[in-house]
Amino acid sequence: MRFTRKSIRLPAGSYVGPRIYFVTICCEGRKPALADAEWVSRCIVRLREASTASLFSVHAYCFMPDHVHLLAEGRGAESSLRAFLSRFKQFTAFEYQRKTGTRLWQTKFYDYVLRQDAEMDAVAWYIWMNPVRKGLCGDPREFPHSGSMTMPWPQSPAAASEWSPPWKPKPLPG
């Protein structure tokens, strides 16, 4: 019996152009490779370099111990999410492999194409609230590994409505 992996990707054209994406990249085996503050600082530098080179704006990010969330927007017709994430993952994975001898990232990533700009604030706050939901801090502004490369996020008012990824089960009322 031959094993085939299910493709979680949309058609290739869905990842090119001026679109907005919510992305989750998990560490290999969900190990807490991003728990080291110095390493996360290097990853943020590499994220900035990859986004600039790939014509992407990073509106929100949060580096949790075992994964990273991004809210990224292609700035032009040639912006490719796959190229952007590939560049970021290659830059960081090479350094990490050299330093530790182990893999940093899972092969794939999870993505959601936002349907409208109106969701952006709610998705950004979903990302920034992640360490609060996980009990790592009481206020998202206290978490040192969250931020934005396009706006002064600590001054941004919290989103009017709470957002949750469409693939997650909705909590039961009351």
Side-chain angles (χ1 to χ4, degrees), residues 1-7 108:
M1 185 165 118
R2 197 179 130 153
F3 176 76
T4 57
R5 290 193 182 271
K6 177 184 172 193
S7 174
K108 297 188 179 195

Side-chain angles (χ1 to χ4, degrees), residues 43-57:
C43 287
I44 293 169
V45 168
R46 296 295 183 230
L47 179 64
R48 185 178 306 278
E49 292 169 353
S51 66
T52 299
S54 303
L55 299 174
F56 266 83
S57 295

Side-chain angles (χ1 to χ4, degrees), residues 4-146:
T4 57
R5 290 193 182 271
K6 177 184 172 193
S7 174
I8 61 172
R9 294 286 148 258
L10 296 170
S14 300
Y15 298 104
V16 178
R19 291 186 173 84
I20 304 168
Y21 307 91
F22 169 69
V23 176
T24 302
I25 307 169
C26 297
C27 293
E28 180 72 20
R30 293 301 292 250
K31 68 180 176 236
L34 302 172
D36 178 338
E38 184 179 319
W39 174 244
V40 172
S41 294
R42 293 184 64 77
C43 287
I44 293 169
V45 168
R46 296 295 183 230
L47 179 64
R48 185 178 306 278
E49 292 169 353
S51 66
T52 299
S54 303
L55 299 174
F56 266 83
S57 295
V58 178
H59 299 302
Y61 64 86
C62 181
F63 284 81
M64 297 294 287
D66 63 353
H67 67 281
V68 61
H69 289 300
L70 305 172
L71 176 61
E73 180 176 13
R75 294 193 318 253
E78 301 301 314
S79 299
S80 167
L81 181 70
R82 287 174 148 177
F84 163 45
L85 295 180
S86 177
R87 178 174 273 149
F88 168 68
K89 287 173 73 176
Q90 283 178 351
F91 283 171
T92 53
F94 179 76
E95 287 181 52
Y96 190 81
Q97 175 82 32
R98 203 173 55 199
K99 177 182 169 186
T100 67
T102 62
R103 290 175 48 105
L104 176 57
W105 303 116
Q106 288 182 354
T107 304
K108 297 188 179 195
F109 58 88
Y110 300 93
D111 62 85
Y112 174 71
V113 181
L114 274 64
R115 305 300 191 268
Q116 54 187 343
D117 290 352
E119 287 183 299
M120 271 185 53
D121 287 343
V123 174
W125 277 99
Y126 172 84
I127 290 170
W128 295 326
M129 290 297 293
N130 202 12
V132 175
R133 286 190 302 274
K134 297 295 184 184
L136 298 177
C137 61
D139 184 292
R141 294 164 183 93
E142 297 170 358
F143 194 67
H145 310 304
S146 293

